[in-house]
Amino acid sequence: MKTSRRSLLLAASAAAVTPSWAQTAAPAGQGYPNKPIRLVVPFPAGGATDIFARQVSKKLGERLGGNIVVDNKPGAGGAIGSDIAAKAPADGYTLLLATSSTHAIGPSYANNKLPYDVVADFTPIVHVGDAPNIMVVPTSAPVKNVKEWIEYARKNPGKLNYASSGNGTIVQLSAEYFKGLTGTYLVHIPYRGTALAMPDLVSGKVDVLFDSIASALPHVKDGRVKALGISSAKRSPLFPDLPPIAETVPGYVVNTWFGLYGPKGLPAELVNRINTAINQSLQDNDVKDRLARLGIEPVGGTPQQFAAMAEADRAKWKMIIADRKLTID
């Protein structure tokens, strides 16, 4: 698997030819943008990050006075697309929609050799949004809340399991963090996406899943699974009746964050202009409604706030990964 990741990255670097629509670039500055801006999404089309990018890019383009073209470059846990963005000219015409997986979790694995530095090779622009997870269990589970589930797990060490969307994902780490804080012993069952795990959760073959609101909420509403808690620090307006897991497990806060980066050396004038445009876009009621349907809470703020948040998140996951002795395949 390690060889495969390296091969993918080498192939991506060799194939990272500038698309035809981007070859007539003029230097960024006055008149920017005077051609389409490429927004690299390091995950496949149709996924949460891609859908999020397409929801935000339209309003961002309107605010900047140009077109935003979403360019999906999936592979190697988001490293291929991130590498392409890192090596692009710092002219404002290539941006990256990164996530906590690409810029906090991935770099925190000691055995994950990335071809870029997530701090030195990128310019932080803005923290766009957060997506908390919800803790869901089968309806047959003999519990009504997080406290009862922890007691149930402690009475059955090694007999219960949790599902994830794969090794090294935020879903796996959400569960491992929970295990560490609660002293529970759960067996990990990785799937290729939580959509594949959900039927086994419904049937009771899986005992717990820390899934995104967007993925899990329809099943909760249909009564196919039970939601016990949310991973945000406070109750979410997206799921106001669900208590934070942190009320039972102090310190347990997990968010998948989404943020906009440029390559290193992006001029401050462009950083500020794009930052302002995103912050304005996030105030749009239509954008808020669309993001709410995805289970994403808009954030915004300054580049400095974004950089500090990402750094704190990296430190947190690095500690958790070391404590749980996790490696990435």
Side-chain angles (χ1 to χ4, degrees):
M1 184 64 178
K2 293 178 183 177
T3 302
S4 175
R5 284 173 65 84
R6 289 196 199 97
S7 300
L8 282 169
L9 289 167
L10 288 171
S13 296
V17 179
T18 305
S20 58
W21 51 262
Q23 291 176 349
T24 57
Q30 190 171 7
Y32 170 87
N34 54 27
K35 67 161 194 166
I37 298 168
R38 175 169 62 157
L39 177 58
V40 176
V41 173
F43 296 102
T49 308
D50 173 69
I51 296 170
F52 183 29
R54 294 177 191 278
Q55 298 293 348
V56 172
S57 61
K58 184 175 184 295
K59 287 293 180 182
L60 175 60
E62 291 174 2
R63 295 285 183 181
L64 291 174
N67 284 331
I68 310 290
V69 179
V70 174
D71 190 13
N72 297 94
K73 296 293 183 183
I80 287 177
S82 298
D83 189 44
I84 290 171
K87 291 177 171 57
D91 58 5
Y93 289 102
T94 298
L95 305 175
L96 173 71
L97 184 62
T99 72
S100 47
S101 292
T102 63
H103 278 59
I105 293 172
S108 297
Y109 281 92
N111 68 324
N112 193 14
K113 306 304 181 184
L114 298 172
Y116 50 81
D117 185 296
V118 292
V119 176
D121 293 334
F122 295 90
T123 301
I125 299 174
V126 65
H127 181 185
V128 187
D130 283 335
N133 292 330
I134 56 177
M135 180 182 181
V136 286
V137 300
T139 56
S140 59
V143 300
K144 298 187 294 293
N145 53 50
V146 174
K147 181 181 178 181
E148 290 184 2
W149 200 92
I150 293 170
E151 293 171 352
Y152 175 54
R154 287 174 176 166
K155 290 177 182 176
N156 294 277
K159 296 180 181 179
L160 305 183
N161 59 55
Y162 75 88
S164 83
S165 50
N167 290 314
T169 63
I170 187 72
V171 180
Q172 182 202 11
L173 289 175
S174 296
E176 289 294 331
Y177 189 27
F178 182 87
K179 286 169 59 178
L181 291 179
T182 59
T184 50
Y185 174 28
L186 311 172
V187 178
H188 178 209
I189 304 179
Y191 289 76
R192 293 184 178 179
T194 58
L196 299 176
M198 188 58 73
D200 285 347
L201 183 74
V202 172
S203 69
K205 293 178 182 177
V206 166
D207 296 300
V208 66
L209 174 64
F210 293 81
D211 201 5
S212 68
I213 293 178
S215 298
L217 189 55
H219 302 283
V220 175
K221 287 184 174 180
D222 289 346
R224 303 177 71 208
V225 297
K226 291 191 289 191
L228 301 183
I230 191 166
S231 68
S232 51
K234 300 181 294 185
R235 289 181 186 254
S236 169
L238 308 177
F239 208 149
D241 295 331
L242 195 63
I245 296 169
E247 288 184 3
T248 304
V249 186
Y252 185 85
V253 178
V254 177
N255 279 310
T256 297
W257 56 257
F258 302 86
L260 206 61
Y261 285 93
K264 67 179 179 182
L266 188 65
E269 177 186 354
L270 293 182
V271 172
N272 292 334
R273 182 168 175 188
I274 298 167
N275 175 277
T276 298
I278 281 285
N279 277 294
Q280 291 173 342
S281 298
L282 293 177
Q283 297 303 312
D284 185 276
N285 287 332
D286 182 54
V287 171
K288 289 181 180 179
D289 289 343
R290 290 175 182 272
L291 295 186
R293 286 196 289 271
L294 294 174
I296 297 171
E297 300 178 29
V299 178
T302 68
Q304 294 76 21
Q305 289 170 331
F306 177 34
M309 180 281 299
E311 182 60 35
D313 203 44
R314 276 190 293 275
K316 168 184 171 178
W317 290 120
K318 186 175 182 178
M319 180 180 66
I320 293 168
I321 287 167
D323 178 67
R324 307 301 301 168
K325 296 180 174 57
L326 302 175
T327 59
I328 196 165
D329 293 335

